[in-house]
Amino acid sequence: MFARADRMIAELAAGEQRWAQTTLPQRVALLAEVHAAVAAQAEAWATTASRIKGLDADSPLGGEEWISGPYPLLTAAATLQQSLTRISRGTSPLAGARFGRAPGGRVTVRVLPHTAHEALLLHGFTAEVWMPPGVTADTVRSRAGLAELHPERTGGIGLVLGAGNITSIPPLDVLYELVAHNRVVLLKLNPVLEAMLPVYQAALAPLIEHGVLRILTGDGILGGYLAHHPGIVHVHITGSAATHDVVVYGAGPAGAERRAGGSPLLAKPITSELGGVAPIIVLPGNWSRRDLRYQAEHVATQRLHNGGYNCIAGQVVVLSRDWAQKDAFLVELRAAIGRTPARPAWYPGSDGRVAKAAAAYPGAERLGDGGRLLVVVGAGDPSAITATETFSPVLGVIELPGTGAEFLHAAVETVNRDFLGTLGANIIAEPRTIKSLGAGFREAVARLRYGTIAINTWTGLGFLTAAAPWGAYPGHTIDDVQSGIGIVHNALLIDSPERTVVSGPFRPFPHSVLHGEFALFPKPPWFVTSRSGAATGRLLSRFAAHPSWLRMPRVFASAFRA
């Protein structure tokens, strides 16, 4: 096992020299080959991922494996091609980008929609990158490109310890290491996704054949060996903070002692994406019955997509105890969780984590098939649900006093202070409520310390947006890693962003337009209650493989059957 790993690292050392000699136009061509190879493997990809997770690939839930599998890799490869093409022509990847302003002297960059196709396909959704205070638009433009501004300066061999939950994460991390950091890559798959190895090998064959990628499978012992291997200069991990600490400090009591003493074993840089407890802040307003039902399904999706095994799954709903419609919303939330299609508890340890949450909250409600837990904390201690990532179909609800600006302020302060992690936060608010808050709403968004903030959509859209950076809020260290260090995705290669803010319509079409929102998007295909998820996911991936205006009507026709 170790001998094979050593051989791969030696091969990558030679591959680094080839990568240094690979010109920008050649890299663009290589990414085009990857795009074509992923498109050719898309069906096998979605089918294999569905089998791993115990899903019927043709069921509505099978659509998740298209939309979070080949689709984001196809869009990332295409966007990276555009970025490198612009750099090769002496312009910035952000040439022509729309810049704006945010509170605190922040410059913003619009990254969704990024193309004319996206403007129609995701009509009503936007994403903007907020830079740290004081960074100018000229600086953002000139620094965009990262390591591709000097492609001949390679960065050694990077190790990617792949995620085990979402199948696009390992190859997306590979592309970011290779392009943004100019490091050739050794990818070790999580054992949970070992069956994806043949798909990955075929989809990423152009990189393997070029000598800049090697893929292997193995357990944590192999992962530890690779992380400390002298031929590896950098480690990137997607997983849990506990796994991160084992890599950095070692396992068992000795590792805990080294962590307490600030004495890491790992003598090289490490970046990470580690999840956390994502809040869903619901601002009180005057909602219709249709609004209550739709937003309850929205919240259920944020928790139950992929069975609840997402680093960005919404975990705790923050409600106003003074909201007149609070109880009505909770009735709809229970119903939405209950009618979500049943699925296996496929991720290892899920049942134990659900049982632990049930023990911490004896009054928790079992919904649906009994494997989903709703914890309404009330006057109890919220720490068990706000300080631990459950990584399972467990959804918590806490209540805070106040309405309007008072409630929003309390919610921001609470989640910043008490919730584990900083990967993503969600806000749901009726447009009139946002308007009534004026500039205070955007100022509250600025105070939220999260890497991605979603307003009337799910932070999962930020994950799916190729041009958007993805990662924890900046500033974590290995001894207090929270949701991780560094960013990925970011196909426009923006240097040192602070956060991404994504926004969507409060209501789906046609009710969005009837209530004054100009948004033509129906119920999103990623909703766990979507009836056409598989068909729409397949069509979206085929569109990303071969974008064409002529393909768009079929995508919309399927989406409207959700």
Side-chain angles (χ1 to χ4, degrees):
M1 176 173 65
F2 292 162
R4 182 166 178 262
D6 291 341
R7 185 168 64 253
M8 287 185 170
I9 291 171
E11 291 168 354
L12 286 169
E16 184 189 1
Q17 297 179 22
R18 177 180 293 182
W19 189 238
Q21 297 167 4
T22 305
T23 65
L24 285 172
Q26 289 171 334
R27 294 182 182 197
V28 172
L30 191 62
L31 286 168
E33 291 178 25
V34 170
H35 188 272
V38 173
Q41 290 297 311
E43 189 79 41
W45 186 316
T47 300
T48 303
S50 296
R51 186 169 62 248
I52 290 170
K53 300 177 183 183
L55 298 175
D56 178 351
D58 293 323
S59 72
L61 291 177
E64 294 178 358
E65 303 314 315
W66 287 93
I67 295 172
S68 66
Y71 173 76
L73 192 60
L74 288 164
T75 58
T79 309
L80 285 169
Q81 287 178 64
Q82 296 169 7
S83 293
L84 268 60
T85 297
R86 287 185 172 181
I87 296 169
S88 71
R89 295 173 179 171
T91 61
S92 169
L94 296 178
R98 179 178 171 182
F99 284 79
R101 306 291 297 182
R106 293 173 171 89
V107 162
T108 67
V109 188
R110 179 69 62 88
V111 296
L112 178 72
H114 179 61
T115 66
H117 286 142
E118 279 187 344
L120 185 56
L121 202 59
L122 290 166
H123 193 270
F125 291 88
T126 62
E128 57 184 19
V129 177
W130 291 21
M131 301 302 295
V135 178
T136 67
D138 286 344
T139 298
V140 179
R141 282 193 199 91
S142 64
R143 292 183 179 175
L146 300 177
E148 294 304 316
L149 297 176
H150 301 283
E152 73 285 354
R153 301 178 190 172
T154 53
I157 303 171
L159 170 66
V160 170
L161 298 174
N165 59 335
I166 293 292
T167 56
S168 63
I169 294 177
L172 284 171
D173 291 348
V174 165
L175 287 188
Y176 200 68
E177 281 288 293
L178 190 61
V179 176
H181 299 298
N182 236 1
R183 286 190 284 263
V184 297
V185 184
L186 179 61
L187 167 62
K188 191 198 85 68
L189 299 183
N190 187 301
V192 177
L193 294 186
E194 186 171 345
M196 287 293 296
L197 176 62
V199 176
Y200 289 150
Q201 287 175 324
L204 301 175
L207 302 181
I208 296 171
E209 293 165 4
H210 200 64
V212 296
L213 172 65
R214 292 292 182 268
I215 309 174
L216 77 172
T217 62
D219 58 15
I221 295 174
L222 176 62
Y225 174 78
L226 294 173
H228 296 276
H229 194 288
I232 299 293
V233 302
H234 181 274
V235 178
H236 178 78
I237 180 173
T238 301
S240 68
T243 303
H244 167 274
D245 287 350
V246 168
V247 172
V248 173
Y249 295 102
E257 185 175 340
R258 279 188 289 269
R259 185 182 186 283
S263 303
L265 278 179
L266 191 69
K268 62 192 68 173
I270 182 170
T271 52
S272 49
E273 194 265 76
L274 306 174
V277 174
I280 306 169
I281 300 171
V282 179
L283 300 190
N286 185 18
W287 296 8
S288 69
R289 289 186 62 186
R290 190 187 298 271
D291 295 339
L292 290 166
R293 180 185 174 95
Y294 177 77
Q295 292 300 343
E297 292 185 4
H298 189 186
V299 171
T301 293
Q302 294 184 33
R303 177 67 265 178
L304 297 177
H305 181 278
N306 198 35
Y309 313 115
N310 284 335
C311 55
I312 199 55
Q315 182 166 307
V316 179
V317 183
V318 183
L319 292 179
S320 164
R321 69 168 59 113
D322 300 316
W323 183 25
Q325 294 179 297
K326 179 196 69 176
D327 291 338
F329 177 74
L330 288 175
V331 167
E332 290 289 355
L333 181 58
R334 290 181 178 95
I337 294 172
R339 68 175 172 266
T340 299
R343 64 193 305 165
W346 65 272
Y347 202 86
S350 175
D351 290 341
R353 291 187 292 274
V354 172
K356 186 175 181 180
Y361 297 102
E365 304 169 52
R366 291 191 175 271
L367 300 173
D369 58 4
R372 303 161 193 168
L373 215 61
L374 180 66
V375 177
V376 181
V377 175
D381 179 8
S383 61
I385 199 73
T386 61
T388 303
E389 183 182 13
T390 62
F391 211 70
S392 62
V394 176
L395 179 66
V397 177
I398 67 170
E399 299 175 9
L400 299 174
T403 59
E406 178 189 8
F407 170 75
L408 180 56
H409 175 77
V412 169
E413 293 300 308
T414 298
V415 302
N416 279 344
R417 182 188 65 237
D418 298 338
F419 283 40
L420 174 72
T422 64
L423 186 60
N426 308 273
I427 302 174
I428 296 174
E430 208 273 342
R432 288 172 298 184
T433 301
I434 295 175
K435 185 177 180 180
S436 72
L437 292 166
F441 179 78
R442 203 155 162 89
E443 289 166 0
V445 172
R447 291 197 302 274
L448 276 168
R449 294 194 297 271
Y450 287 85
T452 297
I453 299 167
I455 302 164
N456 287 336
T457 184
W458 177 32
T459 45
L461 179 63
F463 174 92
L464 292 175
T465 300
W470 180 256
Y473 192 77
H476 299 314
T477 60
I478 59 170
D479 58 335
D480 184 22
V481 74
Q482 295 281 319
S483 290
I485 300 168
I487 59 169
V488 289
H489 304 185
N490 189 29
L492 296 180
L493 304 174
I494 298 171
D495 184 34
S496 304
E498 182 184 65
R499 73 183 83 193
T500 298
V501 178
V502 295
S503 300
F506 179 75
R507 301 173 178 91
F509 182 84
H511 304 288
S512 54
V513 175
L514 294 174
H515 289 271
E517 292 182 278
F518 184 52
L520 304 181
F521 204 82
K523 176 194 280 189
W526 56 81
F527 266 40
V528 291
T529 51
S530 170
R531 292 175 293 183
S532 60
T536 306
R538 181 180 281 106
L539 289 168
L540 276 171
S541 295
R542 290 176 177 172
F543 180 88
H546 304 286
S548 165
W549 294 110
L550 297 177
R551 292 176 177 268
M552 202 166 283
R554 290 191 65 194
V555 177
F556 275 105
S558 178
F560 274 92
R561 290 194 293 269

